[in-house]
mmCIF file with all atom_site columns, all heavy atoms in Angstrom:
data_model
loop_
_atom_site.group_PDB
_atom_site.id
_atom_site.type_symbol
_atom_site.label_atom_id
_atom_site.label_alt_id
_atom_site.label_comp_id
_atom_site.label_asym_id
_atom_site.label_entity_id
_atom_site.label_seq_id
_atom_site.pdbx_PDB_ins_code
_atom_site.Cartn_x
_atom_site.Cartn_y
_atom_site.Cartn_z
_atom_site.occupancy
_atom_site.B_iso_or_equiv
_atom_site.pdbx_formal_charge
_atom_site.auth_seq_id
_atom_site.auth_comp_id
_atom_site.auth_asym_id
_atom_site.auth_atom_id
_atom_site.pdbx_PDB_model_num
ATOM 1  N N   . SER A 1 150 ? -0.876 4.047  1.020  1.00 0.00 ? 545 SER A N   1
ATOM 2  C CA  . SER A 1 150 ? -0.432 4.658  2.245  1.00 0.00 ? 545 SER A CA  1
ATOM 3  C C   . SER A 1 150 ? 0.799  4.178  2.890  1.00 0.00 ? 545 SER A C   1
ATOM 4  O O   . SER A 1 150 ? 1.757  4.201  2.280  1.00 0.00 ? 545 SER A O   1
ATOM 5  C CB  . SER A 1 150 ? -1.721 4.566  3.227  1.00 0.00 ? 545 SER A CB  1
ATOM 6  O OG  . SER A 1 150 ? -1.476 5.490  4.349  1.00 0.00 ? 545 SER A OG  1
ATOM 7  N N   . ALA A 1 151 ? 0.686  3.603  4.075  1.00 0.00 ? 546 ALA A N   1
ATOM 8  C CA  . ALA A 1 151 ? 1.913  3.035  4.679  1.00 0.00 ? 546 ALA A CA  1
ATOM 9  C C   . ALA A 1 151 ? 2.438  1.837  3.865  1.00 0.00 ? 546 ALA A C   1
ATOM 10 O O   . ALA A 1 151 ? 3.661  1.471  3.750  1.00 0.00 ? 546 ALA A O   1
ATOM 11 C CB  . ALA A 1 151 ? 1.645  2.574  6.120  1.00 0.00 ? 546 ALA A CB  1
ATOM 12 N N   . GLY A 1 152 ? 1.416  1.153  3.289  1.00 0.00 ? 547 GLY A N   1
ATOM 13 C CA  . GLY A 1 152 ? 1.830  0.010  2.459  1.00 0.00 ? 547 GLY A CA  1
ATOM 14 C C   . GLY A 1 152 ? 2.615  0.415  1.213  1.00 0.00 ? 547 GLY A C   1
ATOM 15 O O   . GLY A 1 152 ? 3.548  -0.236 0.691  1.00 0.00 ? 547 GLY A O   1
ATOM 16 N N   . GLY A 1 153 ? 2.378  1.681  0.694  1.00 0.00 ? 548 GLY A N   1
ATOM 17 C CA  . GLY A 1 153 ? 3.262  2.250  -0.367 1.00 0.00 ? 548 GLY A CA  1
ATOM 18 C C   . GLY A 1 153 ? 4.644  2.432  0.087  1.00 0.00 ? 548 GLY A C   1
ATOM 19 O O   . GLY A 1 153 ? 5.592  2.248  -0.765 1.00 0.00 ? 548 GLY A O   1
ATOM 20 N N   . CYS A 1 154 ? 4.789  2.887  1.329  1.00 0.00 ? 549 CYS A N   1
ATOM 21 C CA  . CYS A 1 154 ? 6.202  3.010  1.763  1.00 0.00 ? 549 CYS A CA  1
ATOM 22 C C   . CYS A 1 154 ? 6.912  1.681  1.847  1.00 0.00 ? 549 CYS A C   1
ATOM 23 O O   . CYS A 1 154 ? 8.075  1.524  1.534  1.00 0.00 ? 549 CYS A O   1
ATOM 24 C CB  . CYS A 1 154 ? 6.163  3.687  3.260  1.00 0.00 ? 549 CYS A CB  1
ATOM 25 S SG  . CYS A 1 154 ? 7.690  3.968  3.987  1.00 0.00 ? 549 CYS A SG  1
ATOM 26 N N   . ILE A 1 155 ? 6.093  0.654  2.275  1.00 0.00 ? 550 ILE A N   1
ATOM 27 C CA  . ILE A 1 155 ? 6.764  -0.777 2.392  1.00 0.00 ? 550 ILE A CA  1
ATOM 28 C C   . ILE A 1 155 ? 7.115  -1.173 1.019  1.00 0.00 ? 550 ILE A C   1
ATOM 29 O O   . ILE A 1 155 ? 8.213  -1.755 0.820  1.00 0.00 ? 550 ILE A O   1
ATOM 30 C CB  . ILE A 1 155 ? 5.798  -1.652 3.064  1.00 0.00 ? 550 ILE A CB  1
ATOM 31 C CG1 . ILE A 1 155 ? 5.650  -1.326 4.554  1.00 0.00 ? 550 ILE A CG1 1
ATOM 32 C CG2 . ILE A 1 155 ? 6.276  -3.065 2.939  1.00 0.00 ? 550 ILE A CG2 1
ATOM 33 C CD1 . ILE A 1 155 ? 4.492  -2.058 5.271  1.00 0.00 ? 550 ILE A CD1 1
ATOM 34 N N   . ALA A 1 156 ? 6.244  -0.977 -0.064 1.00 0.00 ? 551 ALA A N   1
ATOM 35 C CA  . ALA A 1 156 ? 6.504  -1.436 -1.319 1.00 0.00 ? 551 ALA A CA  1
ATOM 36 C C   . ALA A 1 156 ? 7.728  -0.664 -1.918 1.00 0.00 ? 551 ALA A C   1
ATOM 37 O O   . ALA A 1 156 ? 8.505  -1.429 -2.526 1.00 0.00 ? 551 ALA A O   1
ATOM 38 C CB  . ALA A 1 156 ? 5.233  -1.210 -2.177 1.00 0.00 ? 551 ALA A CB  1
ATOM 39 N N   . ALA A 1 157 ? 7.850  0.621  -1.738 1.00 0.00 ? 552 ALA A N   1
ATOM 40 C CA  . ALA A 1 157 ? 8.920  1.249  -2.283 1.00 0.00 ? 552 ALA A CA  1
ATOM 41 C C   . ALA A 1 157 ? 10.218 0.809  -1.593 1.00 0.00 ? 552 ALA A C   1
ATOM 42 O O   . ALA A 1 157 ? 11.295 0.656  -2.247 1.00 0.00 ? 552 ALA A O   1
ATOM 43 C CB  . ALA A 1 157 ? 8.704  2.729  -2.058 1.00 0.00 ? 552 ALA A CB  1
ATOM 44 N N   . ASP A 1 158 ? 10.133 0.576  -0.303 1.00 0.00 ? 553 ASP A N   1
ATOM 45 C CA  . ASP A 1 158 ? 11.288 0.088  0.537  1.00 0.00 ? 553 ASP A CA  1
ATOM 46 C C   . ASP A 1 158 ? 11.834 -1.294 0.026  1.00 0.00 ? 553 ASP A C   1
ATOM 47 O O   . ASP A 1 158 ? 12.903 -1.518 -0.175 1.00 0.00 ? 553 ASP A O   1
ATOM 48 C CB  . ASP A 1 158 ? 10.979 0.041  1.918  1.00 0.00 ? 553 ASP A CB  1
ATOM 49 C CG  . ASP A 1 158 ? 12.116 -0.592 2.876  1.00 0.00 ? 553 ASP A CG  1
ATOM 50 O OD1 . ASP A 1 158 ? 12.976 0.201  3.265  1.00 0.00 ? 553 ASP A OD1 1
ATOM 51 O OD2 . ASP A 1 158 ? 12.096 -1.808 3.064  1.00 0.00 ? 553 ASP A OD2 1
ATOM 52 N N   . VAL A 1 159 ? 10.787 -2.167 -0.104 1.00 0.00 ? 554 VAL A N   1
ATOM 53 C CA  . VAL A 1 159 ? 11.152 -3.497 -0.597 1.00 0.00 ? 554 VAL A CA  1
ATOM 54 C C   . VAL A 1 159 ? 11.723 -3.487 -2.010 1.00 0.00 ? 554 VAL A C   1
ATOM 55 O O   . VAL A 1 159 ? 12.665 -4.084 -2.288 1.00 0.00 ? 554 VAL A O   1
ATOM 56 C CB  . VAL A 1 159 ? 9.879  -4.383 -0.647 1.00 0.00 ? 554 VAL A CB  1
ATOM 57 C CG1 . VAL A 1 159 ? 10.124 -5.744 -1.364 1.00 0.00 ? 554 VAL A CG1 1
ATOM 58 C CG2 . VAL A 1 159 ? 9.371  -4.690 0.895  1.00 0.00 ? 554 VAL A CG2 1
ATOM 59 N N   . ALA A 1 160 ? 11.146 -2.596 -2.908 1.00 0.00 ? 555 ALA A N   1
ATOM 60 C CA  . ALA A 1 160 ? 11.725 -2.487 -4.231 1.00 0.00 ? 555 ALA A CA  1
ATOM 61 C C   . ALA A 1 160 ? 13.176 -2.007 -4.163 1.00 0.00 ? 555 ALA A C   1
ATOM 62 O O   . ALA A 1 160 ? 14.028 -2.432 -4.970 1.00 0.00 ? 555 ALA A O   1
ATOM 63 C CB  . ALA A 1 160 ? 10.847 -1.579 -5.063 1.00 0.00 ? 555 ALA A CB  1
ATOM 64 N N   . LEU A 1 161 ? 13.413 -1.023 -3.309 1.00 0.00 ? 556 LEU A N   1
ATOM 65 C CA  . LEU A 1 161 ? 14.771 -0.481 -3.233 1.00 0.00 ? 556 LEU A CA  1
ATOM 66 C C   . LEU A 1 161 ? 15.744 -1.489 -2.729 1.00 0.00 ? 556 LEU A C   1
ATOM 67 O O   . LEU A 1 161 ? 16.933 -1.412 -2.934 1.00 0.00 ? 556 LEU A O   1
ATOM 68 C CB  . LEU A 1 161 ? 14.808 0.837  -2.324 1.00 0.00 ? 556 LEU A CB  1
ATOM 69 C CG  . LEU A 1 161 ? 14.199 2.086  -3.016 1.00 0.00 ? 556 LEU A CG  1
ATOM 70 C CD1 . LEU A 1 161 ? 13.810 3.043  -1.924 1.00 0.00 ? 556 LEU A CD1 1
ATOM 71 C CD2 . LEU A 1 161 ? 15.276 2.713  -3.970 1.00 0.00 ? 556 LEU A CD2 1
#
Side-chain angles (χ1 to χ4, degrees):
S545 192
C549 181
I550 293 172
D553 175 87
V554 171
L556 285 161

